[in-house]
Every structure is written in C-alpha cells, then in structure tokens.
Amino acid sequence: VEITVDVTSPVYPYRQIADQLRAKILSGEITDRLPSLWQLMDQIEPRPGYNTVRKAIAILKDEGLVVTAPGHGTFVRRGPE
Amino acid sequence: VEITVDVTSPVYPYRQIADQLRAKILSGEITDRLPSLWQLMDQIEPRPGYNTVRKAIAILKDEGLVVTAPGHGTFVRRGPE
DNA sequence: CACCATTTGTTCGTATGTATG
DNA sequence: GCATACATACGAACAAATGGT
C-alpha cells in the first residue's frame, strides 16, 4: 500500500493515514480487502503503533467507507446499505 | 461520582462507564462539569486506565451529551445548538 | 471436539503534544 | 514559564471472533 507520514506536519499521523487510505479507496487502488492492521503498520513510514492505525481505520468506518469483521479483516463497503 | 465496573460482565468496561456517566447526566446528578479524567479514574472501581475513561467520554461526545475543552474540562451540553 | 493461526477489539501504562489561563 | 486538562502516540498484553486442520 505504501503510506508516508510527515511527522513535521501539524496534521496528526492518524489523520494523515486515514486521508491517504481514503484516497486509495476512492481512487480504486484498494477495492476489496484492506491489509491487516499489522500489515498496514509495516507498510507505513515511519511505522506507527497499532492503535494509531486503528484510529485511522475508525475514521473511515465512521464515514461508512469500510466495515470491519473481527476474525476476517477490514473491507471496502461496496454499495450503500 | 462513584462508578462501579463489573469486570465479569460481557459488556466492556468503557461502555459500562459511559452508560453510568450518561445516567448521572440525564438524572441531573452531574449538571455542569465532569471530573477531570484523572479524577474519574480515581472514582471508578476498579480503577480503569486513562484511555478507557477517554473512550467512555468519547461515546458521550459522539452522542452530543458532553463537549470537551482542552485546558478547561468536559462539560454537560445544556441546550441543543 | 480440540487446537491453532489470523484479525479485529479492548485495556493498561507511560510519554509527549496541544490548548488554555 | 508554569499548572491544568484534554489529545495523540507507542508498546505490550490479552480477549473475542472466525476459519482451517
């Protein structure tokens, strides 16, 4: 996925991550399943903490862009429902 | 304030805390300012972690019941605005 | 059924940052 | 600068849900 966080920015990392993930979803770069939280952590530079990635995902979840399924993963929501 | 969490309950502590705080607000037991997060931690049995109390407050914030002001505290929202 | 791997969810402790007065 | 209070972040651990063996 490759996400880069600017640590000098006044925008918090969790929001930068959410913004970049949202862009990748809306652009169609991510279509079905998102990488697992641990995979995401390894694909973000510099590597954030688990809860930071979770907070970014929570934003997209609040926006209705993704849904999470414990034991399965996080998925891009296809249609409105 | 005095809040008790049942650790044997399947309901997560952060939600139990949110539920009890909500009840105290709606009943009028808490009318203006909530205790600070650190005070709340000390008034809940068993003593939860800082982030657990924050998560409970976040729920009430999402519900529009309280508003938080950094440097000031967390306040019960009076009227709809 | 048990066991295990994977993934999301919660919690704690601590540290640092931001905002206000 | 200092004190208070909320906000973000990290690392670690454990629980819960799912699916496979």
Side-chain angles (χ1 to χ4, degrees), chain B residues 12-14 48-49 51-52 55 70-72:
Chain B
Y12 289 119
Y14 79 89
N51 290 321
T52 301
K55 189 151 187 176
H72 284 280

Side-chain angles (χ1 to χ4, degrees), chain A residues 24-25 28-33 75-78:
Chain A
K24 288 178 186 300
I25 291 171
E29 183 174 341
I30 301 177
T31 54
D32 185 27
R33 223 200 87 178
F75 301 85
V76 177
R77 215 175 63 171
R78 305 199 179 283

